[in-house]
């Protein structure tokens, strides 16, 4: 497995990470046994970075990962092998609705206590607020995590979906190892202001949504993902004329992928990885088959001509529709 280091002060992780959110209902029903088998297969393949959030299935995702890590390992300890990245702070109601974010220091420590219990571990490798709490200075939130670093419950501090100014404020309190943010061929707004600051400060990036929630995977069609509770049922990029325009981009990408003898998903993941050695793509594979396809992206080498052809086929800002609904976009510090 290829390795990449997260920032100047972070851990060395696999060049591809596993994002486990989809195993806990965010994209419709998932199969528990297959989810566990997929986590196990990822670890066996050498994937070390596993990303979750305490609000994915309201603890379900953490307990699922905890169960996978406790399973009898073939060799060594699965917990020792895994680099666990956990987001916290997103608030949800019993119906699953999103009702804000809580970055208060006391809430940070309480969330961490529950996370450690659900995962069945004694520390979290990278702990990060899921979003910026508009009512709590980021310095206070990061300061509370820093106290947990000192106490041994957290190894490193990360951020998620925040802008350049917030990154600078947080990094001044405690070294930040990575920013988790959506980045794909059709989600590139971070390139102008955020990515230069990350590189100036020596902060890595873990890129989620590299297949834009399946939209540019090459497997998607407009009749999928419309079940209640599936994020894509209300995502602007999957609605009306937008989805048709976006799928046209996928077909243009498919031509390039076919010429290289790889899949659309593989070339899309490889494109993200090719944007810098400081970027680690997270793939949201829910099955062993999709995981195997994603792992194949590590063997895809994109030449300058390939990158130019991809840029021509899927130009920056070519996507139709925003990556979240308007109300959720308003909560993204990274977009302001």
């Amino acid at each position: 497995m290829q390795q990449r280091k997260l920032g100047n002060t972070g851990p060395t992780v696999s060049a591809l990470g596993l994002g486990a959110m989809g195993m806990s209902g965010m994209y419709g029903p998932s199969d528990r046994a297959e989810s566990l088998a997929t986590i196990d297969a990822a670890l066996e393949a050498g994937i070390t970075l596993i990303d979750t959030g305490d609000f994915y299935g309201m603890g379900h995702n953490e307990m699922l990962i905890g169960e996978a890590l406790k399973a009898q390992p073939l060799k060594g300890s699965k917990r020792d092998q895994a680099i666990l990245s956990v987001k916290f702070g997103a608030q949800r109601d019993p119906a699953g609705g999103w009702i804000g974010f809580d970055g208060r220091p006391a809430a940070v420590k309480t969330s961490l206590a529950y996370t450690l219990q659900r995962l069945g571990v004694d520390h979290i490798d990278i702990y990060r607020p899921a979003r910026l709490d508009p009512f709590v200075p980021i310095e206070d939130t990061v300061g509370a995590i820093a106290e947990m670093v000192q106490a041994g419950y957290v190894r490193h501090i990360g951020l998620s979906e925040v802008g350049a100014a917030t990154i600078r404020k947080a990094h001044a309190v405690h070294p930040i190892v990575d920013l988790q943010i959506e980045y794909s061929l059709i989600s590139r707004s971070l390139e102008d202001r955020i990515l230069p600051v990350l590189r100036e400060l020596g902060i890595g990036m873990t890129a989620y949504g590299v297949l834009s929630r399946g939209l540019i995977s090459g497997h998607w069609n407009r009749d999928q993902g419309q079940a209640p509770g599936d994020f894509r049922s209300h995502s602007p990029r999957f609605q009306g004329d937008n989805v048709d325009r976006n799928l046209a981009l996928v077909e243009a990408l498919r031509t390039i992928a076919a010429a290289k003898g790889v899949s659309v998903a593989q070339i899309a993941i490889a494109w993200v990885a090719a944007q810098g050695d400081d970027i680690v793509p997270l793939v949201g594979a829910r099955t062993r088959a999709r995981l195997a396809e994603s792992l194949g992206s590590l063997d895809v080498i994109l030449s300058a001509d390939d990158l130019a052809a991809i840029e021509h086929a899927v130009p920056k800002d070519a996507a139709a529709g925003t990556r979240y609904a308007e109300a959720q976009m308003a909560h993204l510090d990274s977009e302001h």
Side-chain angles (χ1 to χ4, degrees), residues 15 21 30 40 46 75 86 101 128 133 174 176 207 220 238 252 279 296 306 319:
M21 181 179 76
S30 59
D40 191 63
K75 53 185 178 181
V86 180
F101 303 92
R128 69 183 82 239
D133 185 334
H174 187 281
I176 301 299
W220 184 263
F238 291 83
I279 299 171
D306 291 332

Side-chain angles (χ1 to χ4, degrees), residues 12-36:
T12 296
V13 300
S14 51
L16 199 66
L18 178 66
M21 181 179 76
M23 298 177 180
S24 294
M26 296 295 286
Y27 298 133
S30 59
D31 182 280
R32 182 178 185 82
E34 183 61 26
S35 294
L36 290 167

